Amino acid sequence: MFATEDFPSNCLILAGLSLYFEDGHDDLDDFGFDDYGSECDGIRITAFLDAGQDNLTPLGRLEKYAFSENVFNRQIVARGLLDVLREFSDNENDFISVMETVARMSEDGEPTVRAELMEQVPNIAMFLHESRPNFPAAFSRYLVPIVVRYLTDPNNQVRKTSQAALLVLLEQGLISKADMETKVCPVLLELTEPSSDDDYKIEAVAIMCKVVTMLSKDTVEHLLLPRFCDLCSDARLFQVRKVCAANFGEFCSIVGQEATEKLLMPKFFDLCSDSLWGIRKACAECFMMVSNSTSPEARRVTLSPLFISLISDQSRWVRQAAFQSLGRFISTFANPSSTGLHFREDGALLEVPRCTLDSDCSLNSLNCSDISGCHAERTIAHTPPNQDGRATPSPEHVSTTDSEEMHSLDDNHTSVPREMRGGFTHTVSNSNASPTTTNNAKNTKETEHTDENFNSFNYWRSPLPDISGELEMLNCQTSEEEPEAVYVNLPPAQVQVLSAALKAAQLDSPADDSPAEPEPEEEPENNSDSPTVETKSVEVMDYCKYFLPVHRHSSFIIKNSFNLLLRFQNVIPQQLLDQYLSMTDPARAQTVDTEIAKHCAFSLPGVALTLGRQNWHCLKDTYETLATDVQWKVRRTLAFSIHELAVILGDQLTAADLVPIFNGFLKDLDEVRIGVLKHLYDFLKLLHADKRREYLYQLQEFMVTDNSRNWRFRYELAEQLILIIELYSHYDVYDYLRQIALTLCSDKVSEVRWISYKLVVEILQKLYSCGADDLGLNFINELTVRFCHCPKWVGRQAFAFICQAVVEEDCMPMEQFSQHLLPSLLSLSSDPVANVRVLVAKALRQSVMEKAYFKDPGCAYSDELEETVMALQSDKDRDVRFFASLDPNKGLMDTAPLI
């Protein structure tokens, strides 16, 4: 019967309903813990420990109900173990008895009891950790074995509960290193044996990958890393390989560079070429973490070709993940010594001293100032929009198909660095990559006189095909434009190279209409070690052969060869940059991801930081294309990060290239404008004073929004204006910011008014700190008329708050405050609205009367202040009396809800 085996006749309060366990209630035997759900929180679970008719001790009753035949009793005991331990924590012997009872309960045959007990283990561990001096020994002896044993429990719910409990214990640092190495890890290794059950194995791999981030490097490297490498090659269970691929980056970040390159990289290559697209997709998603754990050489030589293979994968989902990770992967190439920027611990990007670039720039490192000069005449709308509104990419952005773009980084080309010491044409003559390559006498002659210096441009390029025959058939008529116009603002080295490009483009057409094979010209012998103009001509000509379409006008070749040279850099592999730049191609949105442009915009600051401001020319066109994208989410992403990009580029490039885009964002949708507004101060402070002053006329435009209910927009404006005040002179603040602040103070939303009052105080402080007392007095008179004499009580209340803030911030001399503001403040002490008098009382009692100036017996207003405060202390309103009598030394109470 229930009465002989179940709880005594104690009252259990369950959701406000009293249930009495009496004899004859056999129907309660069927009740389980799950039937009550969250309502069991209302039960005083330890009620069964109370003295009853059984004459048992509390420990005896615990023993009775912990091993009762009724499942519900055992569930209740399991759930109440924490309260039970609290009851017996004062006595060491009783505590040990309870822990032994817990250990025996863990062997309960009912899965719901075991699951309930395991849910309490983290709470019990925290209690023991905080209250027991011998916590480590007790926890290790009684609770850790339960957690470990439940990892192999036949019931799925119990296993899941134990896995969750194990992660919580690790996050709280409650499991010792010895227990992890001797108890937990051996079980995980056993469960991941090849002969282990599939379900157990998959779960164990998942928990092992989560546990690894909370373990030390030595523990992971010596115990788990070998097994993880084996699991990456599990040929039978794709779920295991997928879990390994998804968590590959965590393992790399824990074990470090040496183990990553020696043991993990071969496995990563296998996973990246797995037959299942889901595994390859997981590899693409963790690529950045893997790259961060490798050396720069391995990143460039090994990982870059591997990433290119993922970005050209046959599966759209893999390509999508790869493009989303492309910018993050490129960011791992960043080097503070070359970019001149580094991140502080708080995440702020700062400029550090750096060596200036060599004035004799090569093709691989165009000088920043030169590039800004070249682009001075260019505008944002550099390409006409398509019918869908998206800007058409310029010729250098037009990409070929994936198969044509990616074929060049196969296994044969990963060893290019060792084979290219002889220069560019040496590689051409020894490569079989292009079936159209021909070795005529002219090419052979030029090969013999090639510069022996390494050319990093060819490092990441397939050998260029020889299409000299096609070029010789071009009808190259002399352009009316003077070619020297191209050379404006270019250094001598670039002028020399572009001259070679011009020479390569100006080919003589055959004398007759029939195509004729020109006779090869004999090259004069040249023993000089330095490359001649002719040698550079060959290189630039081959560059044009590879990139430029056949065109009948030589001016087209000159123009596009110059534009393509501007994309050239040597910081990251060129194919990675080319793929990144292609993310603005409308074709990518159709074949890869409709939001690929947004991902490009999101990662652009990181890519720009990696390339450095000297290579901004590589990204400038892409940035302008994104800034005019038809999707507002793309423009919004750029707007939120334009201030960070300004730090990366510096003031000159910011003024030349970012300011026009910034101006466009100011006139965009509110969804885009808010991104600019949130970091308005951060952007404006990077501009020169004259350029910054131009925006004073545009600040008023932020008061107008697409939706008048968008009060957070105006709130953000007030916050930014508080910061912006320091960027302008007191005259500009008075002429432009003052009127905006007064308008915001009359906003319909109290939150906007609250922050605007602080803005008014900051303006007043700016005026007096700059010695503009006359402007300050004019502003005070305006505040008095607008707020102190306002017919609405919220305006008069605002005046009281402003006066208190002026005193607390010492915005002006107290003598002038007593002359110009205090009389008006005292007049509000008799205001008919209690909310106004509350703030007057608060301002006088907590701020004004605490100033030394007003405590001086010689102060003309000391008597009047005392009389006013005494009158407020006897006010008919309870809140007014409270604030008028409150001790200023106590914490100031927030009266913001009254505003």
Side-chain angles (χ1 to χ4, degrees):
M1 294 293 294
F2 188 87
T4 60
E5 191 63 31
D6 296 319
F7 285 97
S9 301
N10 294 42
C11 177
L12 299 181
I13 301 176
L14 179 60
L17 179 66
S18 298
L19 297 178
Y20 293 89
F21 294 100
E22 299 177 351
D23 297 343
H25 286 192
D26 295 329
D27 55 334
L28 292 180
D29 291 340
D30 298 331
F31 281 7
F33 170 75
D34 291 337
D35 295 318
Y36 290 92
S38 61
E39 295 179 349
C40 285
D41 294 336
I43 300 177
R44 189 172 74 85
I45 299 178
T46 56
F48 64 85
L49 297 178
D50 297 342
Q53 299 176 357
D54 51 15
N55 295 324
L56 295 175
T57 64
L59 284 177
R61 280 189 290 275
L62 172 65
E63 187 84 8
K64 173 183 176 181
Y65 297 115
F67 303 102
S68 169
E69 293 182 0
N70 188 284
V71 174
F72 172 70
N73 293 343
R74 304 200 302 272
Q75 289 176 338
I76 291 296
V77 173
R79 183 168 189 176
L81 283 176
L82 179 59
D83 293 330
V84 171
L85 284 171
R86 289 192 177 118
E87 294 280 345
F88 296 102
S89 61
D90 296 335
N91 188 289
E92 185 67 22
N93 292 330
D94 291 346
F95 169 76
I96 295 299
S97 298
V98 173
M99 294 302 298
E100 291 177 351
T101 301
V102 172
R104 291 166 55 199
M105 283 190 65
S106 67
E107 300 175 358
D108 196 292
E110 175 60 37
T112 57
V113 176
R114 300 197 303 272
E116 193 65 48
L117 186 149
M118 182 51 57
E119 285 187 0
Q120 301 305 314
V121 167
N123 298 328
I124 294 174
M126 288 299 300
F127 169 73
L128 297 179
H129 177 68
E130 295 171 356
S131 61
R132 303 295 298 180
N134 60 342
F135 160 75
F139 179 74
S140 177
R141 179 179 178 182
Y142 295 107
L143 296 184
V144 173
I146 299 176
V147 176
V148 172
R149 187 170 70 252
Y150 280 8
L151 290 175
T152 61
D153 195 275
N155 183 268
N156 182 64
Q157 180 185 1
V158 177
R159 292 199 308 272
K160 295 294 185 183
T161 306
S162 65
Q163 294 167 12
L166 176 61
L167 293 178
V168 172
L169 294 173
L170 285 171
E171 289 175 356
Q172 300 296 328
L174 300 177
I175 299 184
S176 65
K177 178 181 178 182
D179 284 340
M180 283 300 303
E181 294 179 352
T182 60
K183 297 178 181 179
V184 178
C185 288
V187 173
L188 295 177
L189 293 176
E190 180 183 353
L191 292 175
T192 54
E193 289 283 354
S195 59
S196 177
D197 181 80
D198 290 352
D199 293 337
Y200 285 59
K201 189 175 185 179
I202 295 171
E203 292 176 357
V205 173
I207 194 68
M208 184 175 70
C209 292
K210 293 178 181 178
V211 164
V212 70
T213 59
M214 308 170 197
L215 301 178
S216 64
K217 176 183 177 182
D218 294 338
T219 301
V220 174
E221 195 166 355
H222 292 95
L223 293 179
L224 301 181
L225 182 58
R227 177 57 51 84
F228 180 77
C229 292
D230 296 337
L231 294 172
C232 290
S233 303
D234 192 302
R236 190 166 57 88
L237 294 174
F238 75 90
Q239 297 95 331
V240 172
R241 301 197 307 276
K242 187 173 182 179
V243 173
C244 292
N247 297 274
F248 205 93
E250 282 79 4
F251 264 89
C252 293
S253 61
I254 293 296
V255 300
Q257 177 179 321
E258 182 179 357
T260 296
E261 296 184 0
K262 182 179 179 181
L263 301 175
L264 292 177
M265 285 302 296
K267 303 299 180 182
F268 192 61
F269 267 77
D270 294 339
L271 292 173
C272 287
S273 58
D274 196 275
S275 59
L276 293 178
W277 66 265
I279 297 176
R280 303 195 303 274
K281 177 177 178 289
C283 291
E285 291 170 346
C286 70
F287 217 92
M288 183 190 73
M289 295 187 66
V290 176
S291 179
N292 278 329
S293 303
T294 61
S295 63
E297 181 181 2
R299 188 177 301 129
R300 179 178 290 270
V301 177
T302 306
L303 289 182
S304 294
L306 184 62
F307 191 87
I308 292 297
S309 68
L310 292 175
I311 217 168
S312 59
D313 195 273
Q314 60 182 357
S315 170
R316 175 173 181 170
W317 306 112
V318 178
R319 297 197 305 271
Q320 184 179 110
F323 272 110
Q324 291 178 9
S325 301
L326 176 57
R328 297 195 295 269
F329 175 49
I330 290 177
S331 69
T332 61
F333 288 83
N335 184 359
S337 62
S338 60
T339 62
L341 297 166
H342 79 288
F343 286 97
R344 262 187 348 205
E345 293 183 358
D346 60 356
L349 189 60
L350 298 178
E351 186 170 0
V352 294
R354 50 174 291 188
C355 298
T356 57
L357 295 174
D358 189 356
S359 58
D360 187 13
C361 297
S362 63
L363 283 174
N364 297 342
S365 58
L366 296 180
N367 186 276
C368 181
S369 60
D370 298 331
I371 297 303
S372 62
C374 297
H375 289 285
E377 298 296 326
R378 307 181 71 169
T379 59
I380 298 179
H382 61 291
T383 52
N386 289 330
Q387 293 179 355
D388 61 355
R390 184 186 294 271
T392 305
S394 51
E396 61 266 29
H397 288 160
V398 178
S399 59
T400 59
T401 62
D402 287 346
S403 60
E404 293 173 339
E405 288 175 319
M406 316 303 177
H407 77 284
S408 59
L409 281 178
D410 54 10
D411 293 338
N412 295 331
H413 292 98
T414 57
S415 59
V416 168
R418 295 190 296 271
E419 300 172 358
M420 295 191 63
R421 302 297 180 182
F424 173 74
T425 51
H426 175 77
T427 305
V428 173
S429 62
N430 288 282
S431 174
N432 297 323
S434 174
T436 61
T437 301
T438 59
N439 294 322
N440 53 31
K442 181 176 180 179
N443 290 342
T444 304
K445 180 67 67 177
E446 291 174 347
T447 301
E448 297 173 355
H449 296 89
T450 301
D451 178 26
E452 294 296 321
N453 294 330
F454 174 71
N455 188 340
S456 63
F457 164 67
N458 311 307
Y459 191 100
W460 295 105
R461 286 290 179 191
S462 299
L464 304 181
D466 182 7
I467 57 171
S468 57
E470 287 82 350
L471 287 176
E472 290 164 357
M473 296 175 63
L474 292 176
N475 183 16
C476 299
Q477 300 176 353
T478 304
S479 175
E480 295 180 359
E481 299 180 359
E482 290 296 330
E484 287 75 8
V486 180
Y487 307 147
V488 177
N489 295 330
L490 288 179
Q494 296 177 32
V495 173
Q496 186 182 35
V497 173
L498 290 176
S499 299
L502 178 62
K503 180 179 179 181
Q506 290 177 334
L507 301 177
D508 294 332
S509 58
D512 53 5
D513 295 334
S514 60
E517 189 72 24
E519 297 182 0
E521 299 179 2
E522 293 294 329
E523 295 280 354
E525 294 186 0
N526 186 1
N527 297 327
S528 174
D529 294 336
S530 61
T532 62
V533 175
E534 287 77 8
T535 304
K536 291 187 177 182
S537 174
V538 172
E539 295 182 0
V540 177
M541 183 176 178
D542 285 329
Y543 185 90
C544 297
K545 293 176 186 177
Y546 185 78
F547 286 108
L548 300 182
V550 177
H551 200 278
R552 62 189 299 268
H553 295 295
S554 59
S555 60
F556 176 85
I557 296 180
I558 299 171
K559 176 181 178 181
N560 285 277
S561 61
F562 176 75
N563 290 336
L564 290 171
L565 288 173
L566 292 180
R567 294 175 56 187
F568 202 50
Q569 49 77 42
N570 63 350
V571 178
I572 63 175
Q574 187 65 31
Q575 278 202 337
L576 291 180
L577 179 59
D578 291 343
Q579 290 297 330
Y580 179 78
L581 298 180
S582 72
M583 293 175 72
T584 58
D585 188 349
R588 293 291 192 196
Q590 300 176 3
T591 60
V592 179
D593 186 2
T594 55
E595 293 192 349
I596 190 172
K598 181 182 176 182
H599 295 297
C600 179
F602 179 81
S603 57
L604 194 140
V607 177
L609 176 64
T610 303
L611 295 178
R613 64 184 61 167
Q614 70 273 16
N615 290 311
W616 167 243
H617 55 276
C618 300
L619 298 173
K620 182 176 183 293
D621 287 344
T622 298
Y623 191 78
E624 293 174 351
T625 301
L626 292 171
T628 56
D629 193 278
V630 66
Q631 302 181 69
W632 64 265
K633 291 183 179 180
V634 176
R635 305 193 304 274
R636 173 186 169 93
T637 303
L638 293 183
F640 270 94
S641 63
I642 193 171
H643 66 289
E644 295 286 1
L645 190 59
V647 175
I648 296 171
L649 298 184
D651 54 356
Q652 293 184 359
L653 287 175
T654 295
D657 299 335
L658 295 189
V659 166
I661 295 176
F662 182 84
N663 294 338
F665 289 158
L666 293 178
K667 303 174 183 178
D668 213 313
L669 301 175
D670 285 352
E671 290 80 2
V672 179
R673 296 169 68 205
I674 189 62
V676 173
L677 181 58
K678 274 187 173 293
H679 302 285
L680 186 61
Y681 166 77
D682 296 324
F683 185 83
L684 292 181
K685 72 178 181 180
L686 300 173
L687 303 179
H688 289 298
D690 55 345
K691 178 65 68 174
R692 184 189 306 141
R693 196 171 185 276
E694 296 177 4
Y695 290 97
L696 282 171
Y697 310 96
Q698 304 182 46
L699 292 176
Q700 184 70 33
E701 298 177 5
F702 283 110
M703 297 293 294
V704 181
T705 57
D706 298 338
N707 185 359
S708 60
R709 296 182 179 179
N710 188 9
W711 63 268
R712 290 181 178 85
F713 201 91
R714 301 188 297 277
Y715 183 92
E716 189 65 42
L717 174 61
E719 280 195 326
Q720 288 296 312
L721 290 179
I722 292 175
L723 301 174
I724 288 173
I725 287 176
E726 72 174 49
L727 302 179
Y728 295 101
S729 68
H730 59 278
Y731 293 109
D732 289 336
V733 170
Y734 184 84
D735 292 338
Y736 298 98
L737 303 188
R738 173 182 55 88
Q739 190 57 44
I740 299 177
L742 293 175
T743 304
L744 291 172
C745 286
S746 302
D747 197 90
K748 296 179 180 179
V749 180
S750 62
E751 290 290 334
V752 178
R753 297 197 302 270
W754 174 266
I755 190 66
S756 301
Y757 301 151
K758 298 180 180 179
L759 172 60
V760 167
V761 173
E762 292 293 331
I763 293 176
L764 198 59
Q765 186 174 26
K766 174 80 172 184
L767 298 177
Y768 276 97
S769 63
C770 295
D773 293 4
D774 53 340
L775 297 180
L777 181 57
N778 292 340
F779 192 32
I780 288 175
N781 294 333
E782 191 171 6
L783 293 175
T784 302
V785 172
R786 181 181 288 261
F787 295 110
C788 183
H789 302 153
C790 180
K792 296 183 179 180
W793 68 268
V794 291
R796 303 193 300 274
Q797 187 190 55
F799 184 82
F801 173 80
I802 292 173
C803 289
Q804 182 180 6
V806 167
V807 174
E808 291 178 351
E809 299 295 332
D810 290 324
C811 295
M812 57 190 299
M814 288 298 100
E815 182 180 359
Q816 295 196 30
F817 173 83
S818 62
Q819 295 178 9
H820 306 303
L821 283 175
L822 184 57
S824 299
L825 178 62
L826 294 176
S827 67
L828 294 177
S829 63
S830 58
D831 194 275
V833 179
N835 281 357
V836 177
R837 300 197 305 274
V838 165
L839 263 68
V840 172
K842 185 171 180 285
L844 295 177
R845 186 71 180 93
Q846 297 181 359
S847 301
V848 177
M849 296 187 66
E850 291 301 304
K851 286 295 181 180
Y853 176 84
F854 296 103
K855 290 182 178 181
D856 188 348
C859 178
Y861 291 93
S862 59
D863 294 339
E864 188 176 357
L865 277 174
E866 291 287 348
E867 294 175 0
T868 303
V869 171
M870 290 180 63
L872 292 172
Q873 289 175 350
S874 59
D875 194 274
K876 61 181 180 180
D877 186 84
R878 180 179 58 182
D879 293 332
V880 176
R881 295 196 303 269
F882 173 81
F883 282 103
S885 306
L886 184 64
D887 185 359
N889 296 325
K890 293 183 179 180
L892 300 181
M893 297 186 64
D894 186 15
T895 54
L898 301 175
I899 301 296

